[in-house]
Amino acid sequence: MMPHTLISDEQLAVNLQHGDNQALIQIYERYKQGLYLFAYRLLGDENRAEDVVYETFSKVLLENRKLQNPASLKSWMFMIARNEAFAVINRTKKYRPLNDDDDIFSEDSPLTVIEENEQSKLLEALLNQLLPQYKEVLLLREFESMNYEEIAAITGTTIGSVKSKLFKARKELMEKAKPYIKEDAL
Amino acid sequence: MKKNEELLQRCFDGDLNDDEMKNLFSEMSTDETLRMQFRSFQTLRQGLRSTPVHDVPVKLDERIKRLSLTSHVKMLSDKSRLQNFLSKKFSFSMPAFAATVLLLLVGSYFAATIVLAPKAETELVYIMQLPQIEVRAILN
C-alpha cells in the first residue's frame, strides 16, 4: 500500500466510493486535526467538536457517492463539518441572522481570565467570542489557507460576502486585542 | 471596505497579481495608515497561528476506527437502507421511467376496456317495430 501522503485526496475519495473503508482511516488521519480544530474553535466545546467530527466522517462514509468531484474532498468535508457545527449552534440558540451594523462579537470580553501578555490565549478568547458567521470565514482562511472561492462554497455565501466578513473580523479582532497587547505587537 | 483596504486584504490572502501588488506597495510607501494596517494584519495572523492547538481526543480515533469497520448496510437505518437499495437496484433514467408508466397506463386501459370487459349482450332489434328501416332495406 502507498504511504498516506503519496495518495491524493482524489484517489482516496475514489477508493472510498468503491467501498474501500480503509480509505476512510487514511482520510481521517490526514484531516482529523484540521477538522477537529475547526469544529472546536467554532463551538468552543471539546465534546461537541468530537461529535461534529464523528458525524462528519459518518457522512463521508455513508454519503460519499454524493461527492461529484473527488478532488474537492477537503472542501466537501469542511462543508459537512461546518453544517454539523451550525446545527449544534442552532440547537443551542447561539445563532441569529446578521445585519451589516451588528456587533460581530457575541458577548463582552471576559478578559480577566486571560493571563497578562499571553497573546495567543487572548486571541483564542477573542476568537471564541466572534459570531460564528465571522469566525468560520476567518478559521477557514487563517488555519486552512482556503481561498475566497472555497470559503464561499463551504459557507454557502458569495465571494464578496466572504471578503467583507474577513475584513470586518480581522479589523474588529485587532481593535479588541489592542488594549491588551504590547504596543509594538499590534 | 475601501479600495486600498480591499487590496491590502487580497494581498494578504495571496489574491493579487503582480501589477496590483506593485500598486499596493506604491500606495503603502506614502500612506502611513495603510502601512500600519498591513503590519497589524501580519501580527494578527502570527498571533492566530500561535493559538493553542488542541489534540484530537484518543476516544475519537477509536470511534472512527470502529466506524470504518462497520459495514455500510449495518449502519443504515431501515429507511436509508431502502433508499440505498432502490438507488442501486432500480436505478433508471426519467424518460425510461415515464415510458414505462405510460405503457402500463395504456396497457391497463386496453385490458380493462377490451380484453377483460364483459361481452355485451346481443341486442335484439325488432325490425317490425321500425317499418321505415325495413322498407329501405328491401329497396336496397
Side-chain angles (χ1 to χ4, degrees):
Chain A
M1 193 170 70
M2 291 170 83
H4 296 177
T5 47
L6 295 181
I7 305 174
S8 65
D9 276 7
E10 185 173 8
Q11 189 56 54
L12 284 175
V14 170
N15 290 351
L16 191 63
Q17 286 176 330
H18 285 95
D20 174 11
N21 283 12
Q22 270 307 303
L24 185 82
I25 294 293
Q26 291 171 291
I27 295 168
Y28 173 71
E29 289 300 332
R30 190 171 290 180
Y31 289 112
K32 65 178 181 181
Q33 190 69 61
L35 284 167
Y36 177 74
L37 280 177
F38 177 62
Y40 177 79
R41 285 172 172 142
L42 264 182
L43 298 164
D45 182 288
E46 286 178 12
N47 292 328
R48 283 177 179 157
E50 184 188 320
D51 285 343
V52 161
V53 177
Y54 181 79
E55 285 305 320
T56 302
F57 279 92
S58 297
K59 286 197 172 167
V60 169
L61 182 63
L62 292 174
E63 299 178 10
N64 54 61
R65 282 167 203 277
K66 289 182 183 172
L67 176 61
Q68 291 179 345
N69 176 14
S72 62
L73 174 70
K74 182 183 175 184
S75 297
W76 184 62
M77 288 195 303
F78 271 88
M79 185 166 68
I80 297 172
R82 182 257 179 202
N83 291 342
E84 291 292 328
F86 269 75
V88 172
I89 292 167
N90 286 338
R91 277 201 297 275
T92 53
K93 298 186 192 305
K94 280 186 179 174
Y95 176 87
R96 64 184 170 84
L98 292 174
N99 292 319
D100 282 348
D101 53 352
D102 277 351
D103 186 351
I104 69 170
F105 289 92
S106 59
E107 55 196 271
D108 286 336
S109 323
L111 292 179
T112 47
V113 299
I114 294 159
E115 293 173 42
E116 203 178 349
N117 290 333
E118 284 193 75
Q119 186 178 316
S120 61
K121 284 189 179 176
L122 167 87
L123 283 172
E124 189 182 36
L126 286 174
L127 195 60
N128 279 339
Q129 292 163 18
L130 267 182
L131 287 180
Q133 297 93 323
Y134 288 92
K135 204 192 299 184
E136 60 173 346
V137 290
L138 198 64
L139 293 177
L140 292 170
R141 177 59 221 155
E142 295 297 344
F143 294 101
E144 294 304 321
S145 303
M146 290 187 179
N147 61 37
Y148 299 141
E149 204 173 358
E150 287 172 310
I151 299 172
I154 289 171
T155 56
T157 52
T158 60
I159 290 175
S161 168
V162 169
K163 283 182 188 172
S164 154
K165 280 180 187 162
L166 256 181
F167 186 77
K168 204 169 173 183
R170 282 170 169 156
K171 202 172 174 180
E172 298 280 328
L173 261 182
M174 287 187 298
E175 288 300 316
K176 279 255 183 183
K178 237 176 200 171
Y180 305 95
I181 291 185
K182 289 180 290 181
E183 275 185 21
D184 57 337
L186 283 181
Chain B
M1 193 173 16
K2 293 171 195 164
K3 194 188 168 193
N4 278 346
E5 289 175 334
E6 192 191 342
L7 276 180
L8 182 68
Q9 171 159 278
R10 285 179 52 214
C11 163
F12 210 64
D13 292 332
D15 194 49
L16 289 190
N17 61 35
D18 289 348
D19 286 343
E20 288 171 320
M21 194 79 95
K22 273 181 196 165
N23 286 342
L24 178 68
F25 277 88
S26 156
E27 285 282 335
M28 273 203 291
S29 66
T30 56
D31 188 339
E32 175 69 17
T33 315
L34 200 60
R35 216 164 41 239
M36 289 293 288
Q37 204 162 27
F38 185 78
R39 278 188 53 211
S40 296
F41 270 19
Q42 274 185 319
T43 311
L44 179 70
R45 172 163 288 173
Q46 285 163 5
L48 283 174
R49 290 185 178 175
S50 67
T51 51
V53 173
H54 302 268
D55 288 332
V56 177
V58 179
K59 204 169 50 171
L60 180 60
D61 289 348
E62 289 161 3
R63 288 174 77 187
I64 299 294
K65 273 178 196 152
R66 277 201 302 274
L67 181 72
S68 74
L69 295 173
T70 315
S71 73
H72 287 216
V73 178
K74 276 183 188 169
M75 287 190 56
L76 296 172
S77 65
D78 287 344
K79 190 182 171 188
S80 49
R81 194 183 301 172
L82 178 66
Q83 284 170 346
N84 198 38
F85 176 75
L86 287 173
S87 68
K88 281 181 183 168
K89 302 287 181 189
F90 298 105
S91 57
F92 35 63
S93 64
M94 278 309 288
F97 177 70
T100 309
V101 170
L102 191 65
L103 204 63
L104 284 172
L105 284 173
V106 172
S108 57
Y109 171 78
F110 277 109
T113 55
I114 298 171
V115 182
L116 299 176
K119 284 181 182 174
E121 286 179 19
T122 311
E123 195 178 343
L124 287 176
V125 177
Y126 295 97
I127 294 175
M128 290 306 289
Q129 290 178 352
L130 301 165
Q132 293 92 338
I133 292 173
E134 191 181 12
V135 171
R136 280 183 198 158
I138 292 165
L139 286 175
N140 286 336

